[in-house]
Amino acid sequence: MADFMTSTHRTKWILTPQDIKHKYKVANQRAKQALEKYGTTRMEVDIDGSFSYAESQNDTKDSAEKRPKPLKVEEEQLLRAFYEFKIQDVCDAFKFPRKIQATALIYFKRFYLQWSVMEHHPKDIMLTCIYAACKAEENHVSAEELGKGIGQDHHVILNNEMLVFQSLGFDLIVYSPYRALEGYISDLEEFCGAKDDDQLVALKGSLETARMEADKIMRTDGPLLFPPGQLALTALHRANAVHGIFDFERYLRSVLSHSQPAHAISELTGSINAIDSLIGKLSTPTSKDVKHIDRKLKSCLDPGSHDKSKKRKHRSKDNSNEVTYIS
């Protein structure tokens, strides 16, 4: 397997919080400008990855009052969080290994550093990222099988595939904390002098808790900010807070004594605390939480749907006496 230290993951995709904030702002602003210019933010994507903004059927010179309202950066963030949780749901439903779930999440996060959700609906991109992750991790599942399993059109998955690859810069090899976690637990067996069954069982229990903590980390900005080894150490730290099997700081010093180049203990502890803080701020939006945002998004992607919705509401008011009799 390729080495993380020489990978594009490390050289191109470990960013600063300021980088991430700027990229989200730029993508959001571009979508707002498209809405003003074209009357829609929807992009037409060809299977070869080429794209263009779709022309709205409405008059683009309509008054600002009639034009759909664009999503705020914070609303985009909430919608992305919703679909990141859905990625884990879908992967669990298909019983995919965690490495596929992690790869799909990283692809999804990287994609939306380049694009606004107003340009490409996250429901569609989510599926393509899962499909691409299965390919990258050599766990083949056809687009038809994936689409059928969750009741979605598999052509959407295929139509967005090249766009996703291009948006990732074709950097498809990614690193997640799960492999590092396995290594740390194996190392801890020697560190703790675990010889009897009870000690080994306790460490295995700690590993499972750490995996669940890593699942949470994968839904934060952590994978865009920190290397996978530090994500894994944070998951292990949180798991040890539950199980209390070993002295974590002493183990950190042991890890650092073998690392090349060595980090200062304070630097590594600072990273772990920062990742821990991200988990503390993690939210899991529900369908109800994003319902209003999704409605706004549909209006941006298809302004005609906004007018149809208003007409339906108007008709339902006019015919309210009749509606009560419809089962």
Side-chain angles (χ1 to χ4, degrees):
M1 186 175 178
D3 179 37
F4 172 76
M5 295 304 292
T6 58
S7 69
T8 56
H9 187 142
R10 177 177 177 271
T11 58
K12 292 172 60 178
W13 296 101
I14 298 296
L15 310 173
T16 67
Q18 294 75 24
D19 290 334
I20 294 173
K21 186 177 180 180
H22 176 69
K23 287 177 182 293
Y24 288 153
K25 185 177 179 180
V26 168
N28 179 268
Q29 192 61 37
R30 185 182 60 238
K32 286 180 178 178
Q33 290 170 352
L35 190 61
E36 292 175 7
K37 183 175 181 180
Y38 302 106
T40 178
T41 59
R42 181 168 53 90
M43 301 199 81
E44 300 285 5
V45 180
D46 290 331
I47 200 163
D48 64 357
S50 60
F51 52 84
S52 60
Y53 282 104
E55 290 285 353
S56 172
Q57 297 302 309
N58 293 350
D59 185 354
T60 57
K61 300 188 186 307
D62 280 352
S63 68
E65 187 180 336
K66 292 183 180 179
R67 189 181 301 137
K69 302 295 184 196
L71 270 63
K72 299 174 183 176
V73 172
E74 296 77 16
E75 290 174 323
E76 291 204 49
Q77 183 179 357
L78 198 64
L79 205 58
R80 286 194 306 270
F82 175 78
Y83 281 102
E84 286 183 8
F85 184 70
K86 287 298 177 187
I87 286 175
Q88 292 186 329
D89 263 359
V90 171
C91 289
D92 285 345
F94 276 88
K95 295 183 169 53
F96 290 149
R98 273 187 165 98
K99 64 179 181 178
I100 289 176
Q101 176 192 115
T103 299
L105 279 166
I106 291 173
Y107 286 176
F108 186 85
K109 289 174 184 293
R110 290 182 182 180
F111 182 89
Y112 282 110
L113 290 174
Q114 323 299 325
W115 299 103
S116 163
V117 301
M118 291 184 279
E119 295 169 313
H120 303 286
H121 200 300
K123 180 179 71 175
D124 301 335
I125 300 304
M126 169 191 80
L127 298 176
T128 303
C129 286
I130 295 171
Y131 177 63
C134 287
K135 276 189 170 183
E137 299 295 345
E138 298 181 348
N139 192 79
H140 182 67
V141 175
S142 70
E144 291 87 346
E145 186 180 350
L146 184 59
K148 185 178 179 182
I150 52 179
Q152 298 294 330
D153 182 2
H154 73 275
H155 290 103
V156 173
I157 298 173
L158 296 174
N159 285 346
N160 284 308
E161 185 178 14
M162 188 53 65
L163 173 71
V164 167
F165 287 159
Q166 289 174 346
S167 300
L168 301 177
F170 294 93
D171 296 329
L172 304 181
I173 297 176
V174 301
Y175 296 80
S176 69
Y178 300 104
R179 190 180 183 200
L181 267 177
E182 302 278 353
Y184 287 138
I185 290 294
S186 179
D187 187 44
L188 275 166
E189 289 180 13
E190 182 179 344
F191 178 80
C192 296
K195 294 177 182 178
D196 61 49
D197 289 345
D198 287 346
Q199 288 175 309
L200 292 172
V201 168
L203 281 174
K204 294 301 180 188
S206 183
L207 173 60
E208 190 51 42
T209 302
R211 284 176 180 147
M212 290 189 285
E213 292 299 329
D215 290 346
K216 296 176 189 174
I217 291 171
M218 291 306 299
R219 290 194 289 117
T220 70
D221 281 342
L224 298 173
L225 296 167
F226 300 95
Q230 293 180 10
L231 302 179
L233 281 172
T234 306
L236 195 60
H237 177 246
R238 291 175 66 87
N240 192 56
V242 175
H243 296 274
I245 298 173
F246 59 95
D247 183 329
F248 186 78
E249 186 170 335
R250 191 164 73 87
Y251 178 64
L252 266 192
R253 294 186 185 280
S254 171
V255 169
L256 288 174
S257 69
H258 297 104
S259 66
Q260 295 293 333
H263 292 75
I265 188 75
S266 58
E267 181 184 344
L268 189 53
T269 302
S271 294
I272 290 171
N273 289 340
I275 299 165
D276 199 56
S277 177
L278 290 175
I279 302 172
K281 297 172 186 173
L282 182 67
S283 65
T284 304
T286 64
S287 298
K288 185 178 180 181
D289 294 330
V290 300
K291 187 175 181 181
H292 172 66
I293 301 171
D294 191 54
R295 211 160 33 226
K296 283 180 70 176
L297 177 58
K298 285 176 182 174
S299 292
C300 292
L301 293 167
D302 181 12
S305 67
H306 181 67
D307 295 335
K308 290 172 190 173
S309 176
K310 287 173 79 173
K311 287 177 182 176
R312 279 197 299 270
K313 285 181 181 177
H314 183 67
R315 281 199 302 268
S316 67
K317 285 178 182 177
D318 289 346
N319 301 320
S320 57
N321 291 333
E322 298 173 25
V323 170
T324 55
Y325 295 102
I326 298 175
S327 59

